[in-house]
Amino acid sequence: MVFDNLPLIDLHRHLDGNIRPDTIWDLAQQNGIALPVEHFNDFIPHVRIEDKASDLMEFLAKLDWGVKVLANLEDVQRVAFENVEDLSLAGIDYAELRFSPYYMAMSHNLPTADVVAAVIAGVKQGCSEFNVQANLIGILSRTFGLEKCQHELDSLLVHKDNLVAIDLAGDELGQPAELFEQQFKQVDKAGLNVTVHAGEAAGPESVWQAIKLLKATRIGHGVRSYQDPALLEYLATNNITLETCLTSNYQTGTIANIADHPIHTFLANGVKVCLNTDDPAVEGIELRHEYHIAKTTLGLTDKQLQDIQLNALHAAFISDAEKQALLKLKSANI
């Protein structure tokens, strides 16, 4: 259940994990890029999860075709624009779209800073055309190592005025947050917010590192936080929001079943959570679906769902005035 008098907000949504299958197919034909099958319907399983992946890295591999077809900056701008159109189609009032510029640039050796500019241009164009509000979060993709992350950060900081935060995503187990402390000192100096993927592939220690070393004020996923009572208390006391992605956590194998998700534990301990899509094109879902399964599969009450919707508003990386404006906009439309 989504409360229509409150803004519908998606804070954990990967722009490069939401490239439409038909756009991937179209760009492959346009750019002369060979695909593994001859018919579009046969291509869907290559870019969308069917039930669940065996682990996080298999899930992430489904995203690869989306960036392999980005042969030029116009392609990048197109998928950014379409991401905003998808927000409009899903009835989302505000979103923070995160993206890894190096990941989007690497297949065709595009200039990483120019990829950032193309994403910014596409999102601005989409927001204007579809009357949707969105901001951008730059990702450091630790899967590619420290050197590439520094290059990625340098490219993002060129455009820091068009970003609201920096994220650390990718291989959480192989590249722990402690390796990136110097990069996030630069982020802090640049005055950007911090959200970090943690507690998904690794345990509570990953969440502690994200908070203590990288100064994260939001945690992407944070599923395994339930394993540490002291961490739950810290999250609640310090108003650190968990960006929860129910379907994604099931599809990556982070949880065995949706019904096993520890969201009840988080709520019972006063930890703020919000619901998000993660990679909607790869998962085959949208945000209202996440609220639906939170109610029907997890049995969250209407009051809990209302609070979760408000948590997303309060945790958004926008000013208090902008938050109030979103509230007023929804109230005026009821």
Side-chain angles (χ1 to χ4, degrees):
M1 171 184 286
V2 170
F3 290 87
D4 290 329
N5 64 323
L6 297 174
L8 185 59
I9 293 172
D10 198 345
L11 298 181
H12 190 116
R13 187 180 179 106
H14 290 257
L15 183 149
D16 40 12
N18 187 48
I19 301 177
R20 301 169 180 173
D22 57 333
T23 295
I24 299 172
W25 186 266
D26 181 44
L27 289 177
Q29 315 305 316
Q30 183 178 304
N31 295 324
I33 296 167
L35 295 174
V37 293
E38 293 184 5
H39 301 288
F40 176 71
N41 288 341
D42 296 331
F43 182 59
I44 299 296
H46 291 268
V47 292
R48 181 168 290 166
I49 297 292
E50 296 180 326
D51 190 35
K52 67 189 299 185
S54 59
D55 57 26
L56 176 61
M57 298 315 287
E58 182 187 339
F59 177 94
L60 293 177
K62 297 284 186 183
L63 282 68
D64 290 347
W65 276 113
V67 297
K68 284 178 183 176
V69 299
L70 302 178
N72 54 63
L73 297 173
E74 289 75 19
D75 297 342
V76 173
Q77 185 166 340
R78 170 182 171 175
V79 300
F81 173 82
E82 289 179 353
N83 260 263
V84 181
E85 184 178 18
D86 289 344
L87 296 177
S88 177
L89 293 169
I92 293 170
D93 299 294
Y94 173 75
E96 290 173 3
L97 303 173
R98 60 189 70 196
F99 69 106
S100 165
Y102 177 72
Y103 181 54
M104 297 180 78
M106 66 181 189
S107 294
H108 296 275
N109 296 311
L110 302 177
T112 310
D114 290 348
V115 167
V116 179
V119 168
I120 292 166
V123 168
K124 283 185 174 179
Q125 179 190 2
C127 289
S128 175
E129 185 160 331
F130 300 111
N131 195 28
V132 173
Q133 296 182 49
N135 279 315
L136 288 167
I137 296 174
I139 289 176
L140 307 188
S141 190
R142 53 184 158 190
T143 303
F144 305 117
L146 193 58
E147 184 179 342
K148 289 292 190 293
C149 282
Q150 183 62 57
H151 168 67
E152 200 159 35
L153 179 59
D154 292 341
S155 299
L156 287 162
L157 291 182
V158 170
H159 300 283
K160 67 178 183 178
D161 292 343
N162 290 287
L163 306 173
V164 293
I166 297 293
D167 179 19
L168 182 67
D171 185 5
E172 183 188 353
L173 274 174
Q175 301 282 344
E178 63 184 331
L179 300 177
F180 301 91
E181 193 171 357
Q182 292 304 312
Q183 280 68 39
F184 279 83
K185 286 181 178 177
Q186 294 176 253
V187 173
D188 183 58
K189 186 177 180 181
L192 291 169
N193 295 291
V194 176
T195 175
V196 172
H197 282 68
E200 183 184 17
E205 72 285 350
S206 174
V207 180
W208 279 118
Q209 284 190 10
I211 296 166
K212 295 293 190 178
L213 300 182
L214 308 187
K215 311 301 182 189
T217 58
R218 289 189 344 219
I219 297 294
H221 302 291
V223 182
R224 303 192 196 280
S225 299
Y226 78 92
Q227 297 170 348
D228 185 346
L231 176 57
L232 291 177
E233 182 179 359
Y234 188 92
L235 292 169
T237 302
N238 291 275
N239 206 29
I240 295 171
T241 300
L242 300 184
E243 303 160 353
T244 298
C245 308
L246 300 173
T247 298
S248 171
N249 293 158
Y250 168 70
Q251 290 185 347
T252 59
T254 305
I255 56 173
N257 298 287
I258 297 282
D260 297 331
H261 199 283
I263 191 170
H264 284 290
T265 301
F266 298 148
L267 295 172
N269 283 273
V271 177
K272 287 186 168 58
V273 301
C274 57
L275 292 179
N276 310 275
T277 55
D278 203 13
D279 301 287
V282 173
E283 296 162 58
I285 57 99
E286 256 306 344
L287 187 54
R288 288 178 184 271
H289 173 267
E290 300 301 277
Y291 278 87
H292 175 73
I293 61 173
K295 183 176 178 65
T296 58
T297 304
L298 285 158
L300 268 60
T301 67
D302 289 353
K303 175 63 165 62
Q304 287 174 317
L305 292 170
Q306 185 179 46
D307 288 345
I308 285 171
Q309 219 170 321
L310 284 169
N311 287 344
L313 178 67
H314 296 318
F317 292 140
I318 53 178
S319 68
D320 288 343
E322 290 171 304
K323 293 173 186 178
Q324 287 302 314
L326 276 169
L327 277 173
K328 288 178 181 177
L329 178 67
K330 293 303 290 186
S331 298
N333 290 336
I334 295 300

